[in-house]
Amino acid sequence: MEQKKRMQELVDQLNQASEKYYNGADEIMSNYEWDALFDELSQLEQQTGVILPDSPTQKAGYEETAGNKEEHEFAALSLAKTKSVEELKNWAGEREIWLSWKLDGLTLVLTYDNGSLTKILTRGNGTVGTNITFLQNSISGFPKKIAEKGHLVVRGEAAISYTDFKKMNDLIEDEDEKYANPRNLAAGTLNLDDPKVVKERHVGFHAFTLVYTQQEIVSWGKRMDYLDELGFDTVDREPCNASSVASVVEKWTKRVENGEMDIPVDGLVICYDDTEYAAGGTVTGHHATRGGFAFKWQDEAVDSRLKYVEWSCAASTISPVAVFEPVQIEGTTVSRASLCNISEMERLGIADDCVVSVIKANKIIPKCIKVKDAKGTFQIPEVCPVCGAKTQIHISQKSNTKTLHCTNPDCIAKNMKNFSRFVSKDGMDMEGLSQQTMLRFINEGFIHQFADLYHLSEHAQAISQMDGFGEKSCENMLRAIEEKRKVTPEHFIYALCIPMIGTDAAKKIVANIGFEEFCNRMKAGLDFSDIDGIGEEKSKAIENWYAKKQNQDGFEALLQEVEIDDTKSAMSLEGSLKGLTFVITGDVHTFKNRNEFKAYVESNGGKVAGSVSGKTDYLVNNDINSTSSKNVKARSLNVPIISEDEFIAKFAR
């Protein structure tokens, strides 16, 4: 009786978490906690022989709450999961297999007939999904027309990169409305009815299997190559077998640990190369026995004594961070982990004196998952740690989440995104100054305005003793700042964080009137709308920005710290490449990197686009015979594909 009661509790908890997870709402538990509860439920079902109605062990997903529902032509079943490499070896047996990423997004199923996209369904509960075909022009990564004229069904993952996730969250002023992670944002985005808003969020489709084709292709690897030829963005993959899968798993895991993945992943997937053999398995529970095997990393939970809770102000929210005795987790020393908000602290049971269990979620982010030996309670600060203004607890109407806020509208920490923009590659390009690092400096009182970054050496001793720093890392950071005292005018203008003045606008200003005239006009309150591509709205934004005394003071203080190098302009109105649009892909060897290549094109009047279109004049790729999606699209549009050497021979002067 007790077992059945516990099983019902687990079913209710897991289904509640799944509903929020699949519908883009605030998540109420980590993947680590969900997996642990799911495993406990599975074990109880095996012990008792009882499966309760609505058990998540029998579902392939979770049905979305809105939208027109349609039945899948081919059931989108879940994969069996393991955290054991030995199980992967046993599953592979004597057969050739492929390893690919388990992307952390939402599964979509695309259907094509007679060469045209006819349907996009979400995975839903695996049997029935939601029709979102109306979003076909808002999601990238797949063609609308293909050369295959028969019936074709493709399954893949819709995901948002960490880069785009960060950009999107930076635009949301209210911390209560920010998204927890890229997967949460992707789920919320695909529930929207406005295609324009969906497109702005840069959801990308990554095909991970060709479900059905009338072509006689048995090999899974060749099926994926075929999708590449048709113009789909496909998941990375590598062939292996039982004897090599362990080393391949280790290699791919290192890629995640080293921060190489911009697209979020939460594991790996192996599948048989022989698709006919794979289709011959049976269906057990909510997955096919030969349909594939998902490998999820064994999160290493380590206990440590909590030293204190640090309250850090960012934007309008003051967030708690657990600071604990340093511990080794998966090869790195960890001593801090976000506690998110007051509600999460209450859920965990954080106290002044306690032990916290910490993991690195998805091999990357330190996260507290449990509290032990709690004594006492925790204190909520009454004043902001940055400006000293009174604090206030907000309760979100959307999720009932409690967050702490600074009541001072002019608190410097509320301008954190401006500091991130200032040090970015398009700005001053300062390495070693992450948003988290600068936020700590702001909370310590080291930084009040941009120019203060050039005086961090005055706090070198204190910084070198801060958690996560040392003398060497402090020296490297200060050296990187000093090396960036010389800056081109367009990078300087972008770094000022003038609303509506991005990289393109900054380049146009410099190319048309030069930096000195820009300064003269701004100080005199003169108009910029005569510059092509600026217009009245952006001109007014410059005027309004400089009208604020704190911006004037900050501008003058910066000019005392940096040297404006106006000998080079990032974009010339005239030049050998005027009127030409290029797309640059793959590795380069003559130019230092693609950014340098791009700068050369723009300095000679050309444009560089991110994707191939009818407006592209040349695709530059040193692998001219590649079957990548860009090459395939270029050929379909009759866009010339040239190598870097051919570009230099044809256009360099």
Side-chain angles (χ1 to χ4, degrees):
M1 192 67 181
E2 285 299 318
Q3 285 181 317
K4 190 172 181 181
K5 181 181 178 182
R6 176 57 179 163
M7 289 167 67
Q8 188 60 61
E9 290 175 352
L10 292 169
V11 167
D12 293 341
Q13 289 179 46
L14 289 167
N15 283 342
Q16 183 185 11
S18 291
E19 180 181 4
K20 293 183 179 297
Y21 182 85
Y22 284 101
N23 287 293
D26 289 338
E27 296 178 3
I28 59 175
M29 69 174 65
S30 67
N31 285 341
Y32 180 93
E33 294 167 289
W34 199 96
D35 287 343
L37 296 180
F38 186 91
D39 291 344
E40 182 185 351
L41 177 60
S42 298
Q43 291 172 4
L44 286 172
E45 289 178 345
Q46 290 176 6
Q47 292 171 11
T48 62
V50 175
I51 297 177
L52 297 176
D54 215 23
S55 171
T57 65
Q58 306 304 303
K59 297 178 183 178
Y62 197 91
E63 191 168 346
E64 295 93 350
T65 55
N68 297 322
K69 305 297 187 292
E70 288 191 30
E71 188 172 344
H72 285 292
E73 181 181 0
F74 304 94
L77 301 176
S78 290
L79 299 177
K81 297 177 178 65
T82 184
K83 295 183 178 180
S84 166
V85 175
E86 286 302 315
E87 284 196 59
L88 297 184
K89 292 180 181 179
N90 294 335
W91 190 85
E94 299 297 320
R95 296 184 174 274
E96 294 299 312
I97 59 174
W98 286 85
L99 182 139
S100 61
W101 295 118
K102 184 177 181 294
L103 299 181
D104 194 15
L106 292 94
T107 299
L108 299 182
V109 182
L110 278 56
T111 302
Y112 292 79
D113 289 291
N114 299 318
S116 297
L117 177 65
T118 56
K119 187 189 300 182
I120 304 177
L121 291 183
T122 64
R123 178 185 185 185
N125 63 11
T127 304
V128 175
T130 301
N131 191 316
I132 60 168
T133 313
F134 71 98
L135 294 177
Q136 62 179 293
N137 294 319
S138 303
I139 305 171
S140 64
F142 58 85
K144 312 303 183 298
K145 300 281 187 181
I146 59 175
E148 166 69 75
K149 298 304 178 186
H151 184 60
L152 184 134
V153 181
V154 181
R155 197 175 294 145
E157 201 81 352
I160 293 176
S161 69
Y162 284 113
T163 299
D164 287 323
F165 165 72
K166 181 181 180 301
K167 288 179 180 178
M168 182 66 207
N169 254 2
D170 284 347
L171 296 175
I172 302 174
E173 295 293 340
D174 189 344
E175 289 291 311
D176 294 347
E177 300 300 319
K178 288 181 183 273
Y179 289 88
N181 50 55
R183 201 232 171 261
N184 183 243
L185 174 58
T189 297
L190 294 184
N191 278 329
L192 299 174
D193 293 327
D194 188 341
K196 182 180 178 183
V197 175
V198 174
K199 188 171 185 177
E200 290 172 350
R201 296 188 179 184
H202 298 167
V203 180
F205 177 81
H206 308 267
F208 58 67
T209 193
L210 173 51
V211 180
Y212 178 84
T213 177
Q214 291 175 286
Q215 302 293 315
E216 294 184 5
I217 311 174
V218 176
S219 162
W220 182 87
K222 290 182 178 177
R223 282 182 165 225
M224 295 302 292
D225 291 342
Y226 183 51
L227 290 180
D228 283 332
E229 293 172 15
L230 292 176
F232 289 88
D233 285 350
T234 58
V235 292
D236 290 348
R237 50 199 181 272
E238 183 172 343
C240 53
N241 52 40
S243 62
S244 63
V245 67
S247 62
V248 176
V249 166
E250 183 179 3
K251 180 175 70 174
W252 282 50
T253 300
K254 289 292 184 185
R255 292 177 63 184
V256 178
E257 293 174 341
N258 293 338
E260 295 179 27
M261 294 300 297
D262 195 30
I263 300 295
V265 299
D266 61 355
L268 304 168
V269 172
I270 62 170
C271 64
Y272 295 117
D273 186 59
D274 187 341
T275 58
E276 289 185 351
Y277 174 78
T282 58
V283 176
T284 302
H286 65 326
H287 66 269
T289 56
R290 297 180 187 171
F293 212 174
F295 174 81
K296 299 197 76 173
W297 293 290
Q298 181 72 54
D299 292 314
E300 179 186 355
V302 179
D303 291 349
S304 180
R305 174 68 59 178
L306 180 72
K307 294 168 68 176
Y308 57 90
V309 173
E310 177 182 286
W311 293 84
S312 179
C313 190
S316 61
T317 304
I318 303 172
S319 302
V321 176
V323 180
F324 41 85
E325 297 292 341
V327 289
Q328 284 285 316
I329 304 180
E330 300 182 15
T332 60
T333 301
V334 178
S335 58
R336 303 164 59 86
S338 171
L339 293 170
C340 300
N341 49 54
I342 296 172
S343 292
E344 179 68 0
M345 293 178 72
E346 291 175 342
R347 186 183 77 83
L348 289 169
I350 291 287
D352 289 332
D353 183 13
C354 66
V355 171
V356 291
S357 292
V358 185
I359 64 168
K360 285 176 70 176
N362 285 354
K363 313 295 286 184
I364 300 174
I365 304 169
K367 180 176 178 62
C368 293
I369 58 164
K370 192 183 296 182
V371 167
K372 302 176 182 178
D373 305 329
K375 298 174 185 176
T377 181
F378 63 86
Q379 302 298 316
I380 300 174
E382 296 181 355
V383 297
C384 171
V386 172
C387 69
K390 286 188 176 182
T391 59
Q392 187 176 65
I393 296 175
H394 287 188
I395 301 178
S396 170
Q397 293 182 347
K398 174 178 145 185
S399 61
N400 210 35
T401 300
K402 295 180 187 176
T403 51
L404 189 64
H405 292 250
C406 172
T407 57
N408 176 14
D410 296 319
C411 179
I412 187 175
K414 294 185 178 182
N415 296 315
M416 192 62 239
K417 63 182 180 182
N418 286 349
F419 280 90
S420 295
R421 174 168 163 171
F422 182 84
V423 302
S424 69
K425 281 194 173 296
D426 290 330
M428 304 302 290
D429 192 18
M430 292 180 177
E431 294 183 5
L433 283 169
S434 66
Q435 181 168 315
Q436 184 181 14
T437 297
M438 288 187 292
L439 190 57
R440 290 172 70 184
F441 292 164
I442 288 173
N443 279 273
E444 290 290 337
F446 299 162
I447 301 174
H448 300 280
Q449 59 178 345
F450 295 150
D452 292 336
L453 289 168
Y454 297 97
H455 293 274
L456 283 174
S457 57
E458 298 169 10
H459 309 283
Q461 184 175 358
I463 292 172
S464 63
Q465 294 175 358
M466 289 174 66
D467 188 32
F469 273 93
E471 288 188 14
K472 191 65 177 177
S473 58
C474 180
E475 288 175 10
N476 291 339
M477 179 192 69
L478 295 176
R479 187 186 309 111
I481 293 172
E482 285 300 314
E483 289 173 352
K484 299 301 179 180
R485 283 187 180 269
K486 192 172 185 178
V487 61
T488 60
E490 58 276 357
H491 281 79
F492 181 83
I493 293 173
Y494 175 84
L496 292 174
C497 301
I498 303 172
M500 301 183 69
I501 305 301
T503 52
D504 288 341
K507 289 173 184 177
K508 288 172 181 175
I509 290 171
V510 175
N512 279 274
I513 63 174
F515 182 71
E516 186 175 352
E517 178 61 16
F518 163 75
C519 295
N520 293 337
R521 287 196 191 188
M522 188 168 61
K523 292 177 181 179
L526 298 179
D527 191 59
F528 290 86
S529 60
D530 60 315
I531 299 174
D532 184 37
I534 299 300
E536 293 183 7
E537 197 172 4
K538 291 179 181 178
S539 178
K540 193 67 177 176
I542 299 173
E543 180 183 343
N544 291 340
W545 180 85
Y546 193 75
K548 295 181 180 179
K549 189 176 187 305
Q550 65 186 40
N551 291 334
Q552 293 178 26
D553 293 342
F555 177 73
E556 293 300 331
L558 270 178
L559 289 179
Q560 298 301 312
E561 304 294 341
V562 302
E563 176 187 350
I564 305 298
D565 180 10
D566 56 4
T567 60
K568 295 182 290 185
S569 175
M571 183 174 71
S572 172
L573 297 180
E574 300 294 335
S576 60
L577 304 180
K578 182 182 179 183
L580 295 178
T581 299
F582 297 83
V583 172
I584 304 168
T585 189
D587 295 329
V588 295
H589 53 259
T590 300
F591 290 95
K592 182 179 179 181
N593 50 45
R594 290 211 299 263
N595 284 337
E596 185 177 85
F597 199 160
K598 178 182 177 182
Y600 176 85
V601 172
E602 291 180 340
S603 68
N604 285 276
K607 295 181 180 179
V608 176
S611 58
V612 177
S613 70
K615 296 180 180 179
T616 305
D617 292 294
Y618 293 93
L619 170 63
V620 183
N621 187 350
N622 283 323
D623 187 359
I624 292 177
N625 298 317
S626 166
T627 57
S628 68
S629 58
K630 284 188 173 72
N631 278 35
V632 170
K633 191 165 187 179
R635 292 189 191 101
S636 70
L637 296 172
N638 293 319
V639 172
I641 305 174
I642 61 174
S643 68
E644 186 180 0
D645 291 337
E646 288 175 311
F647 170 88
I648 292 170
K650 188 176 182 68
F651 298 109
R653 295 289 185 268

